[in-house]
Amino acid sequence: MADTKKILEGLQIIVTDLAQQADGHELQSRIFAAQGFSKLADKYAGHAKEERDYVKKCADRIIDLGGEVKLEDKKSAPVCKDAEEYLKYELQVSKDGLKWLADLVKLAQEDLTTFAILSEYYKDEEKDMYETQQQLELIQLIGKQNWLAKQI
C-alpha cells in the first residue's frame, strides 16, 4: 500500500520548491533578455511555464488525496548575470533534485495517478539536465564567446 502521508509531503515539497524555481527561471529569463540573449531568455521563460504547470498538477493531486496545500517559505536562490555560471548551477540543482525525485517516484508506484504525474515530471527534469550538460560541453568545445553568439 502506498504511504499517502509521505507522498503528500513529497508533493508539497515539489509545490514549494518548484514554485521557487519557476520564479527564478522567470527572473533569469529577464536577465538574459536584457543582455540580448533571446534564445536563453525564451528557454528559461518556457521552463518557468512548465514548472508552474507541474506545481498545479501536484497541488491538484494533494487536494485529490485529501491533503492541504500550503504556501510555504522558500529558500533564496542565486540569480546570475553569467550564463555559464547559471548553467553550472542549474546542472547541480537537476542532479540533486533527480536523486530525491527518484525516491518519491518509487514510493508512489502503487498510487498510479501520482506515479504518472511524478514520472512525467522526472522525465522532463532528466531531459533538461541532459540538455544543460550538453550546453556546458558545447561551451568547452567551441568556447564561451562562440556559444554566447549562438544565444542571440
Side-chain angles (χ1 to χ4, degrees):
M1 186 98 191
D3 188 339
T4 304
K5 183 180 181 205
K6 286 185 180 177
I7 290 170
L8 285 168
E9 289 170 1
L11 289 169
Q12 181 60 54
I13 290 169
I14 292 171
V15 166
T16 300
D17 290 356
L18 204 52
Q20 163 80 358
Q21 197 169 358
D23 289 345
H25 281 153
E26 191 64 45
L27 292 174
Q28 204 61 59
S29 170
R30 303 318 318 140
I31 290 169
F32 291 144
Q35 293 173 331
F37 301 126
S38 59
K39 290 180 181 177
L40 282 175
D42 291 347
K43 175 182 177 174
Y44 285 102
H47 281 326
K49 183 189 176 317
E50 285 178 357
E51 289 157 351
R52 286 191 174 89
D53 289 343
Y54 282 116
V55 168
K56 290 175 193 174
K57 288 177 184 180
C58 290
D60 288 346
R61 190 63 186 150
I62 290 170
I63 294 165
D64 290 346
L65 292 172
E68 182 179 333
V69 180
K70 300 173 192 134
L71 184 60
E72 298 176 321
D73 291 337
K74 301 175 194 174
K75 297 177 277 185
S76 65
V79 179
C80 302
K81 290 184 179 180
D82 182 270
E84 183 179 13
E85 180 184 325
Y86 189 69
L87 289 176
K88 289 176 181 177
Y89 167 75
E90 280 285 292
L91 182 59
Q92 191 58 53
V93 167
S94 291
K95 287 178 178 179
D96 295 343
L98 284 171
K99 287 178 189 174
W100 176 85
L101 185 56
D103 291 336
L104 185 59
V105 171
K106 289 176 191 169
L107 184 66
Q109 285 180 331
E110 294 179 23
D111 175 351
L112 296 180
T113 301
T114 304
F115 180 77
I117 293 167
L118 295 175
S119 294
E120 176 189 0
Y121 174 46
Y122 185 94
K123 289 175 191 174
D124 184 60
E125 286 300 307
E126 185 180 53
K127 180 178 78 76
D128 291 345
M129 181 190 69
Y130 289 136
E131 287 174 2
T132 301
Q133 202 166 26
Q134 182 183 42
Q135 292 305 304
L136 286 166
E137 290 169 2
L138 191 57
I139 290 169
Q140 294 303 309
L141 187 64
I142 67 173
K144 186 173 180 176
Q145 295 306 316
N146 290 329
W147 180 82
L148 285 171
K150 294 173 118 344
Q151 305 311 311
I152 296 175

